[in-house]
Amino acid sequence: MTIREQLELREREYLSPFASLSENSRGRDAEEPPCDIRPVYQRDRDRILHSKSFRRLKDKTQVFLSPKGDHYRTRLTHVLEVSQNARTIAKALRLNEDLVEAIALGHDLGHTPFGHAGERTLDRLCEGGFKHNVQSVRIVEKLEKDGEGLNLTWEVRDGILNHKTSGNPATLEGGIVRLSDKIAYVNHDIDDAIRAHVMREEDIPIELRRVLGFTTRERLNTLIHDIITTSQNRNVIRMSDEVEAALKRLRAFMFEHVYTNPVAKGEEKRAEELLERLFEYYMEHPEEISQTNYRMLELGEPKDRIICDYIAGMTDQYAVAKFNAIFVPKQWQVY
């Protein structure tokens, strides 16, 4: 018996009857020999972790564009926090921790430079629209490994696609990531907003603090415990009505006071204009995009989609560098 088979046996014996067992995966689009050591979801996790698109997340905006400080979240630290929250819940519920981790680490691979400002811009410019969850799946299926894709299992791709609030993941593990994403970003965005002097802890309505907690630590503890308690021994992942309602109100509070705050978002218009100029330029000069993207263009993919692929893959700094190289005279550039 291989190590992988021993691990699959351990899953059968220990995990909840509601868990997604590795041996029962719907599999990959392209069949390949199984690993002798790792079950399929652990293998997917490793492929995502070693991908170029995952490494680029470290230089992509979460909420604050180019914040002055070392402790603000990036898109990479966000997915790590989502992963940690989700693994804690999965372990407590005896669900598949490897599947949860793979979905969590891959769920934001398709995010653009400059956060949701970049997503809005590409959604407006690309004929078929642009959604970061759909782009994340496109990355793992078509764009990574020079156009080969990562050949991930169906369950991981389903969880990535359905991680947004409107999503409906097919697995409980996907449902955990869907809630863990909101738990992570609402709480770490509060922390970053306080650090940036955009808001104070005391600005959060007192009735929400009484339900969820008076610090980031208390709120995380409340939310994670509530999901575990409410979902224990059930074929569903959910929060209690009271806590879910409080989180929705806290999220609405953040949209009103932080996500549209000029201190946090004051530079977004410039970022949107920068990306629009890059899009227009590359539509006229597609030969200047990456070789991988250009090969897909030669294979007949729509040009605007390929240009969106190229721009969405940029980090914040790379997008600025490309803009400077194209539009700013060399003697004016700051080195």
Side-chain angles (χ1 to χ4, degrees):
M1 181 181 291
T2 66
I3 293 174
R4 171 185 54 79
E5 289 169 330
Q6 293 176 43
L7 293 173
E8 290 172 347
L9 175 62
R10 189 181 303 171
E11 286 184 1
R12 284 200 305 274
E13 293 175 341
Y14 175 73
L15 292 186
S16 161
F18 305 120
S20 301
L21 300 183
S22 300
E23 63 185 2
N24 292 339
S25 169
R26 294 194 194 184
R28 311 178 187 281
D29 283 349
E31 281 194 41
E32 55 185 70
C35 178
D36 62 333
I37 297 174
R38 298 166 297 168
V40 288
Y41 302 136
Q42 184 181 346
R43 202 174 186 187
D44 283 359
R45 186 275 314 275
D46 295 348
R47 290 179 181 186
I48 291 168
L49 192 64
H50 289 286
S51 68
K52 291 188 291 186
S53 51
F54 182 80
R55 294 196 293 275
R56 289 196 297 268
L57 295 179
K58 69 184 175 67
D59 290 317
K60 291 194 175 189
T61 289
Q62 175 61 27
V63 171
F64 293 86
L65 294 180
S66 301
K68 291 181 171 62
D70 295 331
H71 301 125
Y72 290 88
R73 270 68 171 193
T74 65
R75 192 62 60 178
L76 178 61
T77 60
H78 164 70
V79 302
L80 294 176
E81 291 186 34
V82 173
S83 176
Q84 184 58 60
N85 292 340
R87 287 176 56 202
T88 298
I89 296 167
K91 187 185 291 288
L93 295 176
R94 292 189 297 118
L95 297 177
N96 196 312
E97 199 174 337
D98 289 336
L99 175 55
V100 156
E101 187 173 20
I103 296 170
L105 294 180
H107 81 279
D108 270 357
L109 293 178
H111 253 298
T112 62
F114 311 123
H116 288 285
E119 182 173 16
R120 287 194 303 270
T121 303
L122 295 188
D123 187 45
R124 174 168 50 84
L125 296 172
C126 194
E127 185 175 344
F130 183 95
K131 303 298 179 198
H132 77 270
N133 59 317
V134 177
Q135 186 69 10
S136 296
V137 175
R138 180 170 169 81
I139 284 172
V140 301
E141 289 184 342
K142 289 189 173 183
L143 302 181
E144 266 291 339
K145 293 185 67 176
D146 295 325
E148 294 181 14
L150 300 181
N151 197 30
L152 304 182
T153 56
W154 181 88
E155 292 79 7
V156 172
R157 287 177 286 145
D158 170 79
I160 291 173
L161 181 65
N162 287 289
H163 78 268
K164 294 178 69 176
T165 300
S166 59
N168 184 27
T171 65
L172 296 188
E173 289 82 359
I176 289 175
V177 175
R178 177 177 167 272
L179 291 183
S180 296
D181 183 35
K182 282 183 277 295
I183 290 172
Y185 74 67
V186 168
N187 282 286
H188 65 48
D189 291 350
I190 290 172
D191 189 44
D192 281 354
I194 293 171
R195 180 172 291 107
H197 305 293
V198 170
M199 61 171 283
R200 301 171 304 152
E201 173 69 37
E202 294 75 20
D203 294 331
I204 300 172
I206 188 62
E207 62 271 20
L208 301 183
R209 299 172 74 204
R210 287 188 179 125
V211 174
L212 298 175
F214 290 83
T215 65
T216 296
R217 179 179 178 276
E218 289 181 6
R219 283 188 289 273
L220 288 172
N221 188 62
T222 296
L223 290 161
I224 290 172
H225 273 81
D226 185 76
I227 292 173
I228 293 169
T229 302
T230 309
S231 306
Q232 195 86 47
N233 300 318
R234 299 180 66 187
N235 192 20
V236 66
I237 301 297
R238 63 182 304 271
M239 298 178 184
S240 66
D241 292 341
E242 180 186 28
V243 170
E244 181 180 28
L247 180 60
K248 284 182 179 178
R249 287 189 58 196
L250 180 58
R251 186 169 175 264
F253 170 86
M254 291 296 290
F255 270 96
E256 181 179 355
H257 293 87
V258 175
Y259 300 142
T260 57
N261 186 291
V263 176
K265 298 298 183 179
E267 297 295 314
E268 282 195 349
K269 184 63 177 176
R270 295 180 184 182
E272 291 172 6
E273 291 174 352
L274 182 153
L275 293 183
E276 184 169 356
R277 292 285 302 278
L278 286 178
F279 180 86
E280 292 169 350
Y281 178 85
Y282 288 120
M283 285 291 286
E284 296 179 6
H285 304 278
E287 70 281 358
E288 294 187 27
I289 64 177
S290 74
Q291 291 183 354
T292 297
N293 292 116
Y294 193 73
R295 280 198 300 270
M296 295 182 71
L297 182 61
E298 291 178 321
L299 292 173
E301 293 251 12
K303 183 164 68 170
D304 63 333
R305 176 61 58 189
I306 296 302
I307 302 305
C308 278
D309 287 340
Y310 181 55
I311 293 175
M314 294 179 178
T315 63
D316 295 20
Q317 294 95 323
Y318 190 75
V320 171
K322 281 294 183 182
F323 181 89
N324 285 339
I326 295 168
F327 297 110
V328 179
K330 288 185 178 179
Q331 62 268 31
W332 294 353
Q333 293 177 20
V334 178
Y335 293 94

